[in-house]
Amino acid sequence: MTQAASPARTVILTVDDDPGVSRAVARDLRRRYGEGHRIVRAESGEAALEALRELKLRGDQVAVILADYRMPQMNGIEFLEQALDVYPGARRVLLTAYADTNAAIDAINVIDLDHYLLKPWDPPEEKLYPVVDDLLDAWRVSDYRPVGACKVVGHRWSARSSGVREFLARNQVPYRWYSSDTPEGQRLLSAAGQDGERLPLVVTPDGTPLVEPRDPEIAAHVGLATTPTSEFYDLVVIGGGPAGLGAAVYGASEGLRTVLVERSATGGQAGQSSRIENYLGFPDGVSGGQLTDRARRQAAKFGAEILTAREVTGLEVTGASRTIRFSDGSAISAHAVILATGVSYRQLEAPGLAELTGCGVFYGSALTEAAACQGHDVYIVGGANSAGQAAMYLARGAKSVTVLVRGSSLSASMSHYLIEQIGEAPNISVRTGTVVESAHGDGHLEQLTLRDVESGHTELVDAQWMFVFIGAAPLTDWLGETVLRDDRGFILAGPDMTPDGQPPRGWELDRPPYHLETNVPGVFVAGDARAESAKRVASAVGEGAMAVMLVHRYLEQS
């Protein structure tokens, strides 16, 4: 039975490294389902994942994915596992030879495989179509119905336009981008009664125009939770990076009424990483976005509330209650608090950079800008893992990537595996002993002045894109004098507060602070905001889990 056409056709995607087989599968699918569905085919797992990410960004829906098992570099099971992160509701089919049936059966448990088909699938009327018909029917009655995409109209070289796109992308909100000088951009501006002077314009899926919106306003209109459902919780987790998400998962799964509060988007700095390759359990690596999305869904599954675009401005102690104040004047309270606020990239101090931030100069990976870097010369400032991961990611499409390092080598702060990868990349070069002296451009970055640290010699280079990773500063100023911090702003906890064995300031209990407990009983710290932390994703997740264990111990003795 031919599927009825629909206004927004869903996608059936097929991937096979054999071009002949790939065309044959797509041909059979198009013959049966082409009227009501878009048939997208790819010839490698990487190409298919790239297609899925583009479809996700445009707000398109993928109903069924068919993948060949025996593909080089990335086999069908590995591909479907990653595809699950992009489209968790898509039905998954593995195409296998008879010899691979055991692998297919194992995949039913590993990736929740919906079906496997033996090659050849001829005749499709008997072996292929009935399977796909059933999967499409199951997809239609599932919870993954099409979700409309936001439309964003802005200027290419606008810091706020870039910020809105980054906010939507990191929160997994589908959107479509239109430059304000394009016909479609002009049409949307006219429909919203705007002349283009006030940008960006965000048009929500229900057609509501938001002019120069701030993140909380966007969040409230696109379905992100911004308002707590209760005034009192067992546990408030502040910060949605790996430590905060780890704490939310373990807190909620162990029965604590848990709310996680994030000022921008879950994932923190790790969530912006293009590829994390040294995290336990992911031998082929995982993007920060994929890891974040899994953790967020996991926390929600256990019942944790996740509030987005809420800025915390104060922590107050009233008896056994710990109260969190928000920037809008509202507040929530809890028995215990875990501070997992993480860090932000330090600003590079050089003439011209402040004016060009968001207009060619970016702090962090800014993955939404990667597509625009295609064919351009890109500069990266920094020598730690985050800089190396960004270099490898941007090198896929950039004409060249130049890593600028103040020190004499990368080995002091970058993992060995990344140094090796950078050394093997033909379009990545590393300039050691080099700093950015100044930045130049009219409205957007056009040139950089580089200085050799040893000789003092300067050089003017053309540059439209620069990404900065030069260390991090803790996001803890809002704590004021309530919680003890070191001279750099990192939060002190446990034995780090009491090197002389004396109780910390204001401590009134007859026990010493627990390992991750601050000078305020019942207030704990986890992750990068903690003084002397390891600054690694795995250790942050571990500290989040450990902090929940200590919260239980605190609650039992309170």
Side-chain angles (χ1 to χ4, degrees):
M1 181 180 67
T2 302
Q3 304 296 318
S6 59
R9 295 192 302 168
T10 56
V11 172
I12 299 174
L13 181 141
T14 175
V15 53
D16 195 304
D17 67 299
D18 184 323
V21 175
S22 177
R23 285 192 293 269
V25 177
R27 178 201 63 216
D28 286 344
L29 290 172
R30 196 170 286 114
R31 182 188 306 157
R32 172 81 166 194
Y33 306 103
E35 183 180 343
H37 298 79
R38 286 178 55 204
I39 310 302
V40 176
R41 74 179 184 92
E43 295 180 3
S44 72
E46 284 292 346
L49 285 174
E50 200 63 39
L52 287 175
R53 294 184 187 111
E54 291 179 8
L55 291 166
K56 184 77 170 182
L57 194 62
R58 293 202 300 262
D60 294 334
Q61 290 294 304
V62 176
V64 178
I65 302 173
L66 300 94
D68 180 51
Y69 173 62
R70 287 181 177 264
M71 294 190 293
Q73 284 82 49
M74 182 189 299
N75 67 37
I77 294 175
E78 293 166 342
F79 160 71
L80 288 172
E81 184 178 15
Q82 295 194 45
L84 182 65
D85 291 320
V86 185
Y87 279 98
R91 303 300 170 175
R92 294 169 292 283
V93 181
L94 195 67
L95 297 176
T96 70
Y98 180 78
D100 299 320
T101 53
N102 286 337
I105 293 169
D106 290 340
I108 293 174
N109 295 320
V110 174
I111 59 169
D112 197 19
L113 188 70
D114 293 293
H115 203 94
Y116 70 88
L117 284 172
L118 294 178
K119 297 180 180 180
W121 59 90
D122 289 326
E125 289 78 9
E126 294 180 13
K127 297 183 178 180
L128 177 65
Y129 298 155
V131 171
V132 177
D133 284 345
D134 288 345
L135 293 176
L136 286 172
D137 288 341
W139 182 84
R140 288 191 194 95
V141 299
S142 70
D143 293 331
Y144 295 93
R145 293 177 175 82
V147 177
C150 290
K151 298 180 177 65
V152 181
V153 182
H155 191 275
R156 178 188 178 190
W157 300 111
S158 161
R160 183 54 192 153
S161 294
S162 176
V164 166
R165 293 165 64 196
E166 191 81 0
F167 176 80
L168 292 171
R170 290 186 61 199
N171 281 291
Q172 306 289 312
V173 177
Y175 75 90
R176 297 183 182 181
W177 162 256
Y178 303 93
S179 180
S180 58
D181 58 3
T182 62
E184 182 63 14
Q186 290 290 317
R187 187 190 71 77
L188 289 169
L189 287 169
S190 177
Q194 299 295 313
D195 57 9
E197 291 296 316
R198 299 175 62 198
L199 293 174
L201 167 72
V202 176
V203 182
T204 64
D206 65 2
T208 303
L210 308 176
V211 182
E212 295 181 314
R214 309 313 300 170
D215 289 352
E217 184 181 3
I218 297 173
H221 280 83
V222 298
L224 298 175
T226 59
T227 304
T229 61
S230 176
E231 296 180 354
F232 196 91
Y233 295 84
D234 294 322
L235 174 64
V236 174
V237 180
I238 303 175
L245 286 167
V249 167
Y250 281 93
S253 68
E254 294 174 11
L256 297 177
R257 291 172 298 161
T258 302
V259 59
L260 183 150
V261 181
E262 167 56 46
R263 69 189 184 110
S264 178
T266 51
Q269 285 188 327
Q272 300 178 64
S273 175
S274 56
R275 202 76 180 160
I276 301 169
E277 296 195 58
N278 58 354
Y279 189 69
L280 185 67
F282 291 88
D284 299 313
V286 62
S287 75
Q290 290 171 333
L291 193 62
T292 296
D293 185 54
R294 288 185 175 192
R296 180 171 50 210
R297 287 190 277 120
Q298 196 172 14
K301 181 185 77 171
F302 287 122
E305 286 184 41
I306 299 178
L307 305 183
T308 305
R310 293 305 301 265
E311 184 177 1
V312 177
T313 57
L315 168 64
E316 299 174 4
V317 179
T318 309
S321 174
R322 278 76 183 112
T323 299
I324 300 301
R325 296 274 174 201
F326 296 116
S327 57
D328 64 358
S330 62
I332 57 175
S333 299
H335 291 299
V337 173
I338 294 177
L339 304 172
T341 51
V343 293
S344 63
Y345 288 108
R346 294 188 184 278
Q347 303 293 294
L348 184 61
E349 300 295 335
L353 287 177
E355 298 83 354
L356 296 174
T357 297
C359 304
V361 176
F362 301 93
Y363 289 87
S365 56
L367 295 182
T368 53
E369 304 296 333
C373 296
Q374 296 276 334
H376 291 265
D377 298 313
V378 178
Y379 286 82
I380 292 177
V381 182
N385 278 9
S386 52
Q389 290 160 353
M392 291 301 301
Y393 181 76
L394 293 169
R396 298 177 185 176
K399 178 182 178 183
S400 71
V401 175
T402 303
V403 182
L404 305 176
V405 187
R406 176 185 288 272
S408 59
S409 73
L410 292 172
S411 59
S413 53
M414 189 177 292
S415 295
H416 179 68
Y417 79 90
L418 269 175
I419 296 175
E420 287 191 328
Q421 290 179 359
I422 288 173
E424 294 170 359
N427 60 337
I428 300 180
S429 60
V430 179
R431 293 183 55 166
T432 57
T434 305
V435 297
V436 175
E437 183 81 358
S438 57
H440 319 277
D442 182 12
H444 64 86
L445 179 66
E446 297 172 350
Q447 293 180 313
L448 293 171
T449 299
L450 307 181
R451 175 171 59 84
D452 184 276
V453 173
E454 215 172 275
S455 67
H457 174 73
T458 60
E459 175 187 1
L460 188 66
V461 298
D462 293 332
Q464 281 190 304
W465 306 95
M466 183 174 75
F467 300 87
V468 183
F469 307 82
I470 56 167
L475 299 168
T476 59
D477 288 347
W478 61 275
L479 289 167
E481 299 297 319
T482 305
V483 173
L484 287 178
R485 297 176 289 155
D486 65 13
D487 55 3
R488 296 179 299 161
F490 290 93
I491 298 170
L492 296 168
D496 291 330
M497 290 187 297
T498 58
D500 55 0
Q502 297 299 311
R505 182 194 71 206
W507 189 263
E508 298 179 354
L509 301 183
D510 58 1
R511 63 165 176 84
Y514 296 131
H515 179 63
L516 298 177
E517 195 170 22
T518 69
N519 61 301
V520 180
V523 176
F524 300 82
V525 61
D528 290 357
R530 183 177 68 83
E532 307 302 326
S533 64
K535 308 295 187 290
R536 288 289 185 268
V537 176
S539 62
V541 173
E543 286 191 7
M546 182 187 296
V548 171
M549 179 189 73
L550 297 173
V551 165
H552 279 292
R553 190 179 301 176
Y554 166 77
L555 295 176
E556 289 167 0
Q557 297 183 1
S558 296

